[in-house]
mmCIF file of all heavy atoms in Angstrom:
data_model
loop_
_atom_site.group_PDB
_atom_site.id
_atom_site.type_symbol
_atom_site.label_atom_id
_atom_site.label_comp_id
_atom_site.label_asym_id
_atom_site.label_seq_id
_atom_site.Cartn_x
_atom_site.Cartn_y
_atom_site.Cartn_z
ATOM 1 N N VAL A 58 7.524 7.576 0.105
ATOM 2 C CA VAL A 58 7.606 7.345 -1.330
ATOM 3 C C VAL A 58 8.009 5.897 -1.586
ATOM 4 O O VAL A 58 8.722 5.294 -0.784
ATOM 5 C CB VAL A 58 8.615 8.305 -2.013
ATOM 6 C CG1 VAL A 58 8.195 9.757 -1.828
ATOM 7 C CG2 VAL A 58 10.021 8.106 -1.482
ATOM 8 N N VAL A 59 7.529 5.367 -2.689
ATOM 9 C CA VAL A 59 7.904 4.004 -3.058
ATOM 10 C C VAL A 59 9.327 4.031 -3.591
ATOM 11 O O VAL A 59 9.620 4.726 -4.560
ATOM 12 C CB VAL A 59 6.926 3.412 -4.096
ATOM 13 C CG1 VAL A 59 7.432 2.072 -4.602
ATOM 14 C CG2 VAL A 59 5.542 3.276 -3.494
ATOM 15 N N LYS A 60 10.190 3.276 -2.928
ATOM 16 C CA LYS A 60 11.587 3.162 -3.363
ATOM 17 C C LYS A 60 11.736 2.034 -4.368
ATOM 18 O O LYS A 60 12.439 2.162 -5.356
ATOM 19 C CB LYS A 60 12.484 2.919 -2.151
ATOM 20 C CG LYS A 60 13.959 2.838 -2.500
ATOM 21 C CD LYS A 60 14.794 2.614 -1.259
ATOM 22 C CE LYS A 60 16.270 2.612 -1.531
ATOM 23 N NZ LYS A 60 16.711 1.872 -2.684
ATOM 24 N N SER A 61 11.056 0.918 -4.091
ATOM 25 C CA SER A 61 11.103 -0.202 -5.019
ATOM 26 C C SER A 61 9.853 -1.046 -4.844
ATOM 27 O O SER A 61 9.232 -1.049 -3.783
ATOM 28 C CB SER A 61 12.356 -1.062 -4.805
ATOM 29 O OG SER A 61 12.345 -1.636 -3.513
ATOM 30 N N MET A 62 9.514 -1.759 -5.914
ATOM 31 C CA MET A 62 8.337 -2.624 -5.879
ATOM 32 C C MET A 62 8.578 -3.807 -6.799
ATOM 33 O O MET A 62 9.063 -3.647 -7.923
ATOM 34 C CB MET A 62 7.095 -1.859 -6.339
ATOM 35 C CG MET A 62 5.842 -2.728 -6.418
ATOM 36 S SD MET A 62 4.396 -1.822 -7.017
ATOM 37 C CE MET A 62 3.812 -1.136 -5.481
ATOM 38 N N ASN A 63 8.209 -4.971 -6.295
ATOM 39 C CA ASN A 63 8.218 -6.185 -7.108
ATOM 40 C C ASN A 63 6.784 -6.691 -7.107
ATOM 41 O O ASN A 63 6.222 -6.943 -6.040
ATOM 42 C CB ASN A 63 9.169 -7.218 -6.515
ATOM 43 C CG ASN A 63 9.274 -8.455 -7.362
ATOM 44 O OD1 ASN A 63 8.688 -8.545 -8.440
ATOM 45 N ND2 ASN A 63 10.016 -9.429 -6.886
ATOM 46 N N ILE A 64 6.185 -6.823 -8.284
ATOM 47 C CA ILE A 64 4.774 -7.195 -8.370
ATOM 48 C C ILE A 64 4.628 -8.417 -9.267
ATOM 49 O O ILE A 64 5.307 -8.540 -10.282
ATOM 50 C CB ILE A 64 3.928 -5.998 -8.862
ATOM 51 C CG1 ILE A 64 2.443 -6.259 -8.702
ATOM 52 C CG2 ILE A 64 4.292 -5.578 -10.252
ATOM 53 C CD1 ILE A 64 1.589 -5.013 -8.796
ATOM 54 N N ASP A 65 3.760 -9.326 -8.838
ATOM 55 C CA ASP A 65 3.515 -10.561 -9.585
ATOM 56 C C ASP A 65 2.023 -10.654 -9.880
ATOM 57 O O ASP A 65 1.225 -10.811 -8.957
ATOM 58 C CB ASP A 65 3.980 -11.762 -8.761
ATOM 59 C CG ASP A 65 3.814 -13.084 -9.506
ATOM 60 O OD1 ASP A 65 3.796 -13.086 -10.752
ATOM 61 O OD2 ASP A 65 3.687 -14.118 -8.822
ATOM 62 N N TYR A 66 1.672 -10.524 -11.157
ATOM 63 C CA TYR A 66 0.279 -10.626 -11.588
ATOM 64 C C TYR A 66 -0.016 -12.093 -11.876
ATOM 65 O O TYR A 66 0.545 -12.671 -12.799
ATOM 66 C CB TYR A 66 0.043 -9.802 -12.857
ATOM 67 C CG TYR A 66 0.365 -8.338 -12.703
ATOM 68 C CD1 TYR A 66 1.587 -7.816 -13.130
ATOM 69 C CD2 TYR A 66 -0.558 -7.462 -12.145
ATOM 70 C CE1 TYR A 66 1.874 -6.474 -12.997
ATOM 71 C CE2 TYR A 66 -0.275 -6.117 -12.002
ATOM 72 C CZ TYR A 66 0.944 -5.633 -12.435
ATOM 73 O OH TYR A 66 1.223 -4.296 -12.300
ATOM 74 N N ARG A 67 -0.903 -12.705 -11.105
ATOM 75 C CA ARG A 67 -1.201 -14.127 -11.263
ATOM 76 C C ARG A 67 -2.500 -14.369 -12.020
ATOM 77 O O ARG A 67 -2.560 -15.183 -12.925
ATOM 78 C CB ARG A 67 -1.267 -14.800 -9.895
ATOM 79 C CG ARG A 67 0.051 -14.729 -9.155
ATOM 80 C CD ARG A 67 -0.046 -15.343 -7.797
ATOM 81 N NE ARG A 67 1.228 -15.213 -7.097
ATOM 82 C CZ ARG A 67 1.486 -15.775 -5.961
ATOM 83 N NH1 ARG A 67 0.574 -16.518 -5.348
ATOM 84 N NH2 ARG A 67 2.647 -15.605 -5.387
ATOM 85 N N PHE A 68 -3.555 -13.676 -11.582
ATOM 86 C CA PHE A 68 -4.870 -13.797 -12.212
ATOM 87 C C PHE A 68 -5.468 -12.406 -12.335
ATOM 88 O O PHE A 68 -5.233 -11.562 -11.472
ATOM 89 C CB PHE A 68 -5.815 -14.685 -11.378
ATOM 90 C CG PHE A 68 -5.359 -16.112 -11.246
ATOM 91 C CD1 PHE A 68 -4.686 -16.530 -10.107
ATOM 92 C CD2 PHE A 68 -5.601 -17.022 -12.259
ATOM 93 C CE1 PHE A 68 -4.252 -17.833 -9.973
ATOM 94 C CE2 PHE A 68 -5.180 -18.329 -12.137
ATOM 95 C CZ PHE A 68 -4.501 -18.742 -10.990
ATOM 96 N N PRO A 69 -6.259 -12.167 -13.359
ATOM 97 C CA PRO A 69 -6.827 -10.827 -13.521
ATOM 98 C C PRO A 69 -8.005 -10.564 -12.582
ATOM 99 O O PRO A 69 -8.756 -11.469 -12.235
ATOM 100 C CB PRO A 69 -7.304 -10.826 -14.976
ATOM 101 C CG PRO A 69 -7.596 -12.267 -15.274
ATOM 102 C CD PRO A 69 -6.601 -13.053 -14.472
ATOM 103 N N ALA A 70 -8.124 -9.306 -12.201
ATOM 104 C CA ALA A 70 -9.334 -8.822 -11.527
ATOM 105 C C ALA A 70 -10.180 -8.166 -12.610
ATOM 106 O O ALA A 70 -9.659 -7.699 -13.630
ATOM 107 C CB ALA A 70 -8.979 -7.826 -10.438
ATOM 108 N N CYS A 71 -11.488 -8.147 -12.393
ATOM 109 C CA CYS A 71 -12.404 -7.648 -13.418
ATOM 110 C C CYS A 71 -13.398 -6.643 -12.841
ATOM 111 O O CYS A 71 -13.571 -6.546 -11.621
ATOM 112 C CB CYS A 71 -13.163 -8.816 -14.046
ATOM 113 S SG CYS A 71 -12.083 -10.005 -14.870
ATOM 114 N N LEU A 72 -14.044 -5.944 -13.751
ATOM 115 C CA LEU A 72 -15.041 -4.940 -13.403
ATOM 116 C C LEU A 72 -16.034 -5.492 -12.388
ATOM 117 O O LEU A 72 -16.529 -6.607 -12.538
ATOM 118 C CB LEU A 72 -15.772 -4.483 -14.671
ATOM 119 C CG LEU A 72 -16.828 -3.399 -14.509
ATOM 120 C CD1 LEU A 72 -16.211 -2.112 -13.981
ATOM 121 C CD2 LEU A 72 -17.523 -3.149 -15.836
ATOM 122 N N ASP A 73 -16.293 -4.710 -11.333
ATOM 123 C CA ASP A 73 -17.237 -5.004 -10.255
ATOM 124 C C ASP A 73 -16.750 -6.028 -9.240
ATOM 125 O O ASP A 73 -17.468 -6.323 -8.282
ATOM 126 C CB ASP A 73 -18.616 -5.427 -10.780
ATOM 127 C CG ASP A 73 -19.379 -4.268 -11.381
ATOM 128 O OD1 ASP A 73 -19.136 -3.118 -10.968
ATOM 129 O OD2 ASP A 73 -20.222 -4.518 -12.253
ATOM 130 N N ASP A 74 -15.559 -6.577 -9.399
ATOM 131 C CA ASP A 74 -15.036 -7.514 -8.402
ATOM 132 C C ASP A 74 -14.918 -6.829 -7.039
ATOM 133 O O ASP A 74 -14.511 -5.663 -6.946
ATOM 134 C CB ASP A 74 -13.638 -8.026 -8.784
ATOM 135 C CG ASP A 74 -13.647 -9.148 -9.794
ATOM 136 O OD1 ASP A 74 -14.738 -9.638 -10.148
ATOM 137 O OD2 ASP A 74 -12.539 -9.544 -10.233
ATOM 138 N N ALA A 75 -15.245 -7.553 -5.998
ATOM 139 C CA ALA A 75 -14.993 -7.132 -4.621
ATOM 140 C C ALA A 75 -13.713 -7.823 -4.184
ATOM 141 O O ALA A 75 -13.642 -9.055 -4.167
ATOM 142 C CB ALA A 75 -16.159 -7.511 -3.721
ATOM 143 N N LEU A 76 -12.708 -7.035 -3.851
ATOM 144 C CA LEU A 76 -11.387 -7.555 -3.553
ATOM 145 C C LEU A 76 -10.956 -7.157 -2.143
ATOM 146 O O LEU A 76 -11.528 -6.244 -1.553
ATOM 147 C CB LEU A 76 -10.367 -7.009 -4.562
ATOM 148 C CG LEU A 76 -10.725 -7.161 -6.047
ATOM 149 C CD1 LEU A 76 -9.712 -6.411 -6.902
ATOM 150 C CD2 LEU A 76 -10.785 -8.625 -6.432
ATOM 151 N N ILE A 77 -9.931 -7.818 -1.673
ATOM 152 C CA ILE A 77 -9.315 -7.477 -0.391
ATOM 153 C C ILE A 77 -7.811 -7.343 -0.623
ATOM 154 O O ILE A 77 -7.187 -8.215 -1.233
ATOM 155 C CB ILE A 77 -9.551 -8.574 0.674
ATOM 156 C CG1 ILE A 77 -11.022 -8.699 1.016
ATOM 157 C CG2 ILE A 77 -8.722 -8.306 1.935
ATOM 158 C CD1 ILE A 77 -11.592 -7.556 1.820
ATOM 159 N N VAL A 78 -7.245 -6.241 -0.134
ATOM 160 C CA VAL A 78 -5.794 -6.087 -0.115
ATOM 161 C C VAL A 78 -5.336 -6.401 1.300
ATOM 162 O O VAL A 78 -5.800 -5.782 2.258
ATOM 163 C CB VAL A 78 -5.347 -4.659 -0.489
ATOM 164 C CG1 VAL A 78 -3.821 -4.545 -0.412
ATOM 165 C CG2 VAL A 78 -5.845 -4.267 -1.870
ATOM 166 N N GLU A 79 -4.451 -7.372 1.413
ATOM 167 C CA GLU A 79 -3.843 -7.696 2.701
ATOM 168 C C GLU A 79 -2.438 -7.103 2.714
ATOM 169 O O GLU A 79 -1.649 -7.337 1.798
ATOM 170 C CB GLU A 79 -3.765 -9.207 2.903
ATOM 171 C CG GLU A 79 -5.119 -9.862 3.024
ATOM 172 C CD GLU A 79 -5.042 -11.362 3.254
ATOM 173 O OE1 GLU A 79 -3.922 -11.938 3.195
ATOM 174 O OE2 GLU A 79 -6.098 -11.961 3.491
ATOM 175 N N SER A 80 -2.153 -6.325 3.743
ATOM 176 C CA SER A 80 -0.852 -5.669 3.864
ATOM 177 C C SER A 80 -0.207 -6.071 5.175
ATOM 178 O O SER A 80 -0.856 -6.065 6.218
ATOM 179 C CB SER A 80 -1.011 -4.150 3.832
ATOM 180 O OG SER A 80 -1.648 -3.734 2.647
ATOM 181 N N GLU A 81 1.055 -6.398 5.090
ATOM 182 C CA GLU A 81 1.802 -6.785 6.285
ATOM 183 C C GLU A 81 3.166 -6.109 6.260
ATOM 184 O O GLU A 81 3.830 -6.077 5.226
ATOM 185 C CB GLU A 81 1.971 -8.299 6.322
ATOM 186 C CG GLU A 81 2.654 -8.799 7.563
ATOM 187 C CD GLU A 81 2.738 -10.313 7.625
ATOM 188 O OE1 GLU A 81 2.123 -10.997 6.790
ATOM 189 O OE2 GLU A 81 3.437 -10.821 8.513
ATOM 190 N N VAL A 82 3.574 -5.564 7.389
ATOM 191 C CA VAL A 82 4.910 -4.995 7.512
ATOM 192 C C VAL A 82 5.878 -6.143 7.746
ATOM 193 O O VAL A 82 5.718 -6.921 8.680
ATOM 194 C CB VAL A 82 4.984 -3.971 8.660
ATOM 195 C CG1 VAL A 82 6.414 -3.495 8.872
ATOM 196 C CG2 VAL A 82 4.051 -2.799 8.390
ATOM 197 N N VAL A 83 6.865 -6.232 6.875
ATOM 198 C CA VAL A 83 7.859 -7.299 6.954
ATOM 199 C C VAL A 83 9.099 -6.839 7.712
ATOM 200 O O VAL A 83 9.692 -7.591 8.482
ATOM 201 C CB VAL A 83 8.255 -7.779 5.533
ATOM 202 C CG1 VAL A 83 9.370 -8.799 5.578
ATOM 203 C CG2 VAL A 83 7.046 -8.317 4.802
ATOM 204 N N GLU A 84 9.472 -5.566 7.491
ATOM 205 C CA GLU A 84 10.711 -5.062 8.084
ATOM 206 C C GLU A 84 10.626 -3.542 8.225
ATOM 207 O O GLU A 84 10.112 -2.863 7.342
ATOM 208 C CB GLU A 84 11.881 -5.449 7.169
ATOM 209 C CG GLU A 84 13.240 -5.036 7.645
ATOM 210 C CD GLU A 84 14.321 -5.505 6.675
ATOM 211 O OE1 GLU A 84 14.371 -4.987 5.540
ATOM 212 O OE2 GLU A 84 15.097 -6.392 7.065
ATOM 213 N N VAL A 85 11.164 -3.051 9.322
ATOM 214 C CA VAL A 85 11.256 -1.609 9.545
ATOM 215 C C VAL A 85 12.718 -1.287 9.822
ATOM 216 O O VAL A 85 13.340 -1.891 10.696
ATOM 217 C CB VAL A 85 10.390 -1.161 10.742
ATOM 218 C CG1 VAL A 85 10.517 0.339 10.963
ATOM 219 C CG2 VAL A 85 8.934 -1.551 10.535
ATOM 220 N N LYS A 86 13.250 -0.355 9.043
ATOM 221 C CA LYS A 86 14.629 0.088 9.254
ATOM 222 C C LYS A 86 14.608 1.590 9.534
ATOM 223 O O LYS A 86 13.541 2.172 9.702
ATOM 224 C CB LYS A 86 15.487 -0.242 8.033
ATOM 225 C CG LYS A 86 15.764 -1.719 7.876
ATOM 226 C CD LYS A 86 16.811 -1.953 6.832
ATOM 227 C CE LYS A 86 17.190 -3.426 6.796
ATOM 228 N NZ LYS A 86 18.184 -3.692 5.764
ATOM 229 N N GLY A 87 15.756 2.201 9.552
ATOM 230 C CA GLY A 87 15.858 3.623 9.892
ATOM 231 C C GLY A 87 14.949 4.533 9.096
ATOM 232 O O GLY A 87 14.225 5.360 9.654
ATOM 233 N N ALA A 88 14.956 4.401 7.769
ATOM 234 C CA ALA A 88 14.160 5.285 6.914
ATOM 235 C C ALA A 88 13.212 4.513 6.001
ATOM 236 O O ALA A 88 12.561 5.120 5.156
ATOM 237 C CB ALA A 88 15.084 6.167 6.069
ATOM 238 N N THR A 89 13.146 3.194 6.147
ATOM 239 C CA THR A 89 12.319 2.407 5.217
ATOM 240 C C THR A 89 11.401 1.425 5.939
ATOM 241 O O THR A 89 11.681 0.987 7.053
ATOM 242 C CB THR A 89 13.192 1.611 4.220
ATOM 243 O OG1 THR A 89 14.009 0.692 4.932
ATOM 244 C CG2 THR A 89 14.025 2.531 3.343
ATOM 245 N N ILE A 90 10.326 1.111 5.238
ATOM 246 C CA ILE A 90 9.373 0.087 5.669
ATOM 247 C C ILE A 90 9.197 -0.862 4.494
ATOM 248 O O ILE A 90 8.944 -0.413 3.365
ATOM 249 C CB ILE A 90 8.008 0.692 6.035
ATOM 250 C CG1 ILE A 90 8.153 1.804 7.066
ATOM 251 C CG2 ILE A 90 7.056 -0.400 6.533
ATOM 252 C CD1 ILE A 90 6.897 2.658 7.211
#
Side-chain angles (χ1 to χ4, degrees):
V58 299
V59 173
K60 182 179 184 316
S61 63
M62 176 182 274
N63 183 3
I64 191 164
D65 183 25
Y66 301 98
R67 298 178 182 188
F68 297 98
C71 299
L72 182 62
D73 288 333
D74 279 354
L76 309 172
I77 295 288
V78 178
E79 294 181 353
S80 302
E81 184 176 351
V82 174
V83 175
E84 181 179 68
V85 179
K86 289 191 174 179
T89 62
I90 306 166

